[in-house]
Amino acid sequence: MGRRFRNLYDQVIAPDNLRRAYLRAATGKRSTADYLAFKEHAEVLLDRLHGQLSEGTWQPLPPRCFTVYEPKARAIQAPRFADRVVHHALCAVIEPIFDATLLPTVFACRRGKGTHAGVRWVQSQLRHYQYRYFLHTDFAAYFASIDRGILRGLMDRKITCPRTRSLLDVIIPPDGVGLPIGALTSQLGANIYSSPLDYHLQHQLRVPFARYMDDIVVLGQSLAELRDCQQEIKRFAEGALGLRLSRWNAAPVSQGINFPGYRIWPHHKLLRRSSVVRAKRTIRQCAAASDIETLRRFVGSWRGHAQWADAHNLNVWLDEQYDLSRLVDAGPKRRPKSPKLETTLELPE
């Protein structure tokens, strides 16, 4: 079971931790109405949050609900900005505790990991050990299928602080099924939830694997071995976690491994076809609408993603097809961001 952690709550609600949580929650949200309204009275609102958390009276506001359709339709329940601050303050304290329990081949939403680290790990395994086959699986409606009772059991094994557990009761109620997509605590919970399966693959089945949230890739030398592994993953996930596989594929490495956002071979990798189709559609729409600023932001992000793959010919084709260089260079230059934080919340060095 390992070490248990007590007396965490004072760290969570400490004013300095709440201020740092405010700054982290603001990342990428500085143009939203929620952030701007909070910023106007940041000190007062942070003091109010501190008081509510100290007294145990804090309750989250109704989330902002909307649907995104890329790469597929998903219902998002985004916490209000003040609630995001609380989530960041909590995760700043408990995330390192649970991150230490995750295996090195779990790559989603972790410092020093991410998609590119996952892709590099898979490719290095193919090169060094010359695996001939792979198994790829993922779960149906992963976030919506998480049993919160099981998840809270996993979390409570490490967190024994009663007041921290009470705060978790408000954010992740121990009864029911499903975590809302869009909350930082949901990302952490989703990573923790599949950790029993990770340990089963590592210690009982003894197979090389990588996981990115609910995307799992297992490498092997025979299709029969990987099909047996798929049956064991299905049995364990349904029995211990209540998860159902939505699809699985056991195939030769020569077909390329989809993981995550790339198709991987031992000595090269390409972008996923669906990713390229979405990029072309977005560029075409922005160019047709002369939305230069959106196009500039998208192209910068896209090229950052594409530079990790063998995509030179694709980038050349996109430049020729849509004259990206001219369109991007014609757009207004962004004003550089001020390096100073809000003066009311500057932290001492």
Side-chain angles (χ1 to χ4, degrees):
M1 181 173 295
R3 181 184 174 190
R4 295 186 175 193
F5 291 83
R6 303 179 177 88
N7 305 320
L8 298 175
Y9 197 68
D10 287 341
Q11 299 176 46
V12 174
I13 69 171
D16 284 350
N17 188 45
L18 288 174
R19 288 186 175 92
R20 288 189 292 267
Y22 162 75
L23 297 176
R24 287 192 295 270
T27 303
K29 302 294 180 182
R30 293 181 183 273
S31 61
T32 64
D34 258 3
Y35 165 74
L36 294 173
F38 193 98
K39 176 188 173 185
E40 286 296 312
H41 309 284
E43 280 293 340
V44 173
L45 293 175
L46 287 173
D47 285 343
R48 181 183 299 174
L49 278 179
H50 175 72
Q52 292 173 341
L53 291 167
S54 298
E55 297 166 5
T57 60
W58 174 80
Q59 289 293 325
L61 298 170
R64 188 168 62 90
C65 300
F66 57 95
T67 302
V68 297
Y69 296 94
E70 295 290 353
K72 60 183 178 181
R74 292 178 295 171
I76 307 297
Q77 299 179 46
R80 301 295 180 175
F81 186 80
D83 298 335
R84 284 173 54 86
V85 173
V86 176
H87 290 199
H88 276 272
L90 175 63
C91 287
V93 175
I94 69 170
E95 185 175 5
I97 295 171
F98 291 106
D99 188 77
T101 69
L102 298 176
L103 294 177
T105 52
V106 177
F107 292 98
C109 306
R110 300 178 67 189
R111 292 175 185 245
K113 300 290 185 179
T115 57
H116 300 143
V119 169
R120 289 197 302 269
W121 185 88
V122 170
Q123 193 170 58
S124 70
Q125 294 295 299
L126 296 178
R127 289 176 176 175
H128 293 164
Y129 300 103
Q130 298 182 346
Y131 290 110
R132 299 170 56 200
Y133 300 96
F134 72 93
L135 168 69
H136 180 228
T137 71
D138 62 10
F139 297 113
Y142 181 56
F143 278 76
S145 301
I146 289 175
D147 186 312
R148 294 198 294 268
I150 296 174
L151 173 60
R152 287 301 308 279
L154 294 170
M155 300 180 82
D156 290 349
R157 289 170 62 184
K158 300 294 291 184
I159 305 296
T160 60
C161 174
R163 300 188 73 189
T164 305
R165 284 185 176 183
S166 296
L167 180 59
L168 280 168
D169 286 343
V170 177
I171 297 174
I172 305 176
D175 300 322
V177 177
L179 293 179
I181 300 176
L184 183 66
T185 48
S186 296
Q187 293 180 2
L188 175 61
N191 245 359
I192 296 168
Y193 192 71
S194 286
S195 58
L197 177 58
D198 299 335
Y199 279 91
H200 187 67
L201 290 168
Q202 177 91 350
H203 298 296
Q204 271 69 51
L205 301 185
R206 298 179 181 274
V207 292
F209 79 97
R211 176 168 71 86
Y212 193 91
M213 204 55 77
D214 65 323
D215 243 3
I216 300 174
V217 166
V218 182
L219 304 174
Q221 298 292 4
S222 75
L223 284 177
E225 168 195 353
L226 293 175
R227 286 170 181 149
D228 290 343
C229 183
Q230 182 270 332
Q231 289 298 313
E232 186 61 22
I233 291 174
K234 178 181 178 182
R235 182 197 66 78
F236 186 92
E238 291 179 354
L241 303 174
L243 297 174
R244 180 175 57 86
L245 289 180
S246 64
R247 57 188 175 183
W248 65 277
N249 178 39
V253 167
S254 60
Q255 289 188 8
I257 303 173
N258 278 327
F259 183 81
Y262 300 89
R263 294 179 65 202
I264 309 166
W265 287 266
H267 299 288
H268 73 287
K269 50 185 176 286
L270 301 177
L271 298 168
R272 275 182 174 173
R273 186 174 291 107
S274 58
S275 175
V276 174
V277 169
R278 288 195 300 272
K280 290 179 179 179
R281 181 168 63 242
T282 301
I283 291 171
R284 184 167 57 248
Q285 291 171 347
C286 290
S290 298
D291 189 350
I292 305 302
E293 186 58 26
T294 300
L295 180 63
R296 290 181 69 239
R297 289 197 300 266
F298 176 79
V299 169
S301 173
W302 163 258
R303 284 178 171 164
H305 174 66
Q307 72 179 358
W308 291 85
D310 298 279
H312 173 75
N313 290 340
L314 174 63
N315 279 320
V316 170
W317 183 87
L318 288 173
D319 276 338
E320 293 175 350
Q321 187 76 11
Y322 299 102
D323 201 6
L324 290 183
S325 298
R326 182 186 64 80
L327 288 173
V328 170
D329 292 342
K333 301 299 182 183
R334 282 184 174 182
R335 294 177 61 187
K337 290 184 179 179
S338 171
K340 295 182 68 176
L341 302 174
E342 287 75 12
T343 57
T344 56
L345 286 174
E346 287 187 347
L347 300 178
E349 299 195 7

